[in-house]
Amino acid sequence: MLTASPQPLVVGSDGFVPEPCVLYPEQVITYPFAGLLPEELCARIDTWDEAREEEAEQSADESRTEPLGYQYDLSIPPGWRVGGFASWHATDP
């Protein structure tokens, strides 16, 4: 491991030079985009999502966060990833 990162000879802007950083990889389970699933399963997921939204609306607790949903919390969790299921825009016809 180098003690000092090598610097490029020509740089158009300081923002183009990578800064040293540390990665903390973690294993995250992702699931396929709902449009790639069988129609019956997709309908079950929609029903589950709608029920969770209705529960959140009926709750009197205003400090609650949005309920977890399939599409943006399970299928495409936040962050960067290597491997897993491709995002819909890479597979959508």
Side-chain angles (χ1 to χ4, degrees):
M1 180 180 278
L2 298 174
T3 55
S5 299
Q7 297 296 314
L9 299 175
V10 177
V11 177
S13 171
D14 287 340
F16 294 146
V17 179
E19 295 181 23
C21 64
V22 179
L23 298 177
Y24 298 100
E26 62 181 286
Q27 187 171 1
V28 177
I29 296 173
T30 59
Y31 299 96
F33 171 64
L36 298 175
L37 298 173
E39 201 169 302
E40 181 181 312
L41 182 55
C42 193
R44 288 177 55 200
I45 291 171
D46 288 342
T47 302
W48 179 78
D49 277 340
E50 289 168 6
R52 304 245 330 146
E53 288 175 8
E54 287 177 13
E55 287 174 13
E57 288 174 3
Q58 293 174 358
S59 173
D61 186 3
E62 303 248 345
S63 64
R64 281 188 137 188
T65 58
E66 289 290 316
L68 293 178
Y70 179 82
Q71 183 61 35
Y72 297 105
D73 297 306
L74 299 175
S75 174
I76 306 173
W80 292 83
R81 69 180 147 181
V82 176
F85 290 98
S87 180
W88 69 269
H89 68 271
T91 58
D92 190 43

